[in-house]
Amino acid sequence: DHLTYALTLGVFGLVVWGLGLPLLGGLVLRSGRKSYSASTLRANYGYLVNGYHHKFYYWELILTYRKIVIAFISVFLSGIDAGVQALLAIMFLIFCLYAHLINRPFVDSNLNNLETISLVVVIMTLWCGLLLYGNVVSSTGELIIFLFIVVQNLWFLVYWGQQFYREFIEDMKVTKPRLYAKLSSCFQHFSLNRHGEMISKNYGRKRSDGIAKPKDQITTLSPVTESKVGATVTVEDIEK
């Protein structure tokens, strides 16, 4: 029967590809960590260990298993109540958040903060969804919860975009310094032009408010000063 065939292949793929390959990768990283230096390990397995502290070389595998557990809860436990699924996922993610806060495996503190915020947002989204699923709040409360879900996720996207932009600029400084220099000069030129326009507008506003023009100010100079126009000005002249 088709269902039995599909389940057999699904379980086999889950065990081999979902559990076996990350475990095999962990064993390879462990043996490589004992045999090679930190630089050699990053050169050979940089796609797995880059960005982490050396002692947390295996953390990418933990993130992989975290995704597998969430997928297992949402797929293989679909026969139970959705509220129970959400509670199990929340409990597991709280444990993951605790492990992350204790270890802080990323070298960059901004990445640690980004991971912390992402876990908190997911936990709060699931918790708010659990409140909506239970029908324990009024229609006004449901609207407030819905807006809270939208706002917190939009805030996370904005924060993620800022961090992505910062990392993109830092990477451009190293990999494409000429392009970065050209873009910086263009932005500086644009900023100076905007600053000049603002000064011109402010100066024109002051003139319209009755401030004397530079030409008018020249006519109010003293005779001594007028006689010195175009000549060398000495200290005695300034004192006079």
Side-chain angles (χ1 to χ4, degrees):
D1 132 273
H2 177 72
L3 181 59
T4 304
Y5 178 73
L7 288 176
T8 303
L9 288 180
V11 172
F12 177 79
L14 177 65
V15 172
V16 174
W17 298 102
L19 302 178
L21 285 183
L23 180 60
L24 180 61
L27 295 176
V28 172
L29 288 177
R30 183 177 179 83
S31 61
R33 182 172 179 267
K34 293 181 179 179
S35 305
Y36 307 106
S37 61
S39 59
T40 306
L41 183 66
R42 293 186 183 278
N44 294 334
Y45 309 105
Y47 62 96
L48 291 176
V49 300
N50 281 342
Y52 299 102
H53 290 289
H54 184 56
K55 64 179 180 179
F56 295 115
Y57 65 94
Y58 54 85
W59 202 263
E60 188 68 26
L61 305 177
I62 291 180
L63 298 183
T64 302
Y65 280 119
R66 186 177 76 189
K67 298 173 184 177
I68 292 174
V69 171
I70 294 298
F72 179 84
I73 293 174
S74 61
V75 175
F76 291 93
L77 298 182
S78 59
I80 64 177
D81 186 71
V84 178
Q85 284 183 287
L87 285 175
L88 290 175
I90 290 172
M91 292 172 59
F92 175 71
L93 290 174
I94 290 176
F95 171 77
C96 294
L97 177 61
Y98 173 77
H100 173 75
L101 292 175
I102 292 297
N103 295 292
R104 296 184 68 84
F106 293 100
V107 176
D108 191 349
S109 60
N110 291 315
L111 292 179
N112 286 315
N113 296 334
L114 186 63
E115 182 73 8
T116 301
I117 294 174
S118 66
L119 288 173
V120 171
V121 169
V122 172
I123 291 171
M124 294 301 297
T125 301
L126 287 174
W127 180 72
C128 292
L130 191 61
L131 291 178
L132 295 176
Y133 175 78
N135 294 324
V136 295
V137 294
S138 62
S139 57
T140 304
E142 290 179 353
L143 178 61
I144 293 174
I145 292 173
F146 172 75
L147 292 177
F148 176 75
I149 293 174
V150 172
V151 169
Q152 69 167 352
N153 281 273
L154 288 178
W155 173 72
F156 173 75
L157 288 177
V158 171
Y159 182 78
W160 175 84
Q162 291 176 346
Q163 298 304 315
F164 178 81
Y165 175 75
R166 184 185 67 85
E167 291 294 330
F168 177 76
I169 295 299
E170 293 297 328
D171 182 71
M172 184 185 294
K173 289 181 182 179
V174 178
T175 58
K176 299 178 180 179
R178 293 183 179 180
L179 178 60
Y180 174 76
K182 291 181 180 180
L183 291 176
S184 298
S185 62
C186 291
F187 281 119
Q188 290 176 0
H189 181 71
F190 176 76
S191 178
L192 289 175
N193 289 339
R194 292 287 296 174
H195 185 64
E197 291 176 1
M198 292 177 62
I199 292 177
S200 300
K201 289 180 180 179
N202 291 334
Y203 179 71
R205 189 179 300 110
K206 290 180 180 179
R207 289 180 60 183
S208 63
D209 292 340
I211 297 179
K213 301 178 181 179
K215 185 176 180 181
D216 298 335
Q217 292 177 355
I218 294 176
T219 59
T220 60
L221 296 175
S222 63
V224 175
T225 307
E226 290 178 352
S227 63
K228 297 297 180 178
V229 174
T232 303
V233 180
T234 63
V235 176
E236 290 79 6
D237 296 332
I238 296 176
E239 291 178 353
K240 290 179 181 181

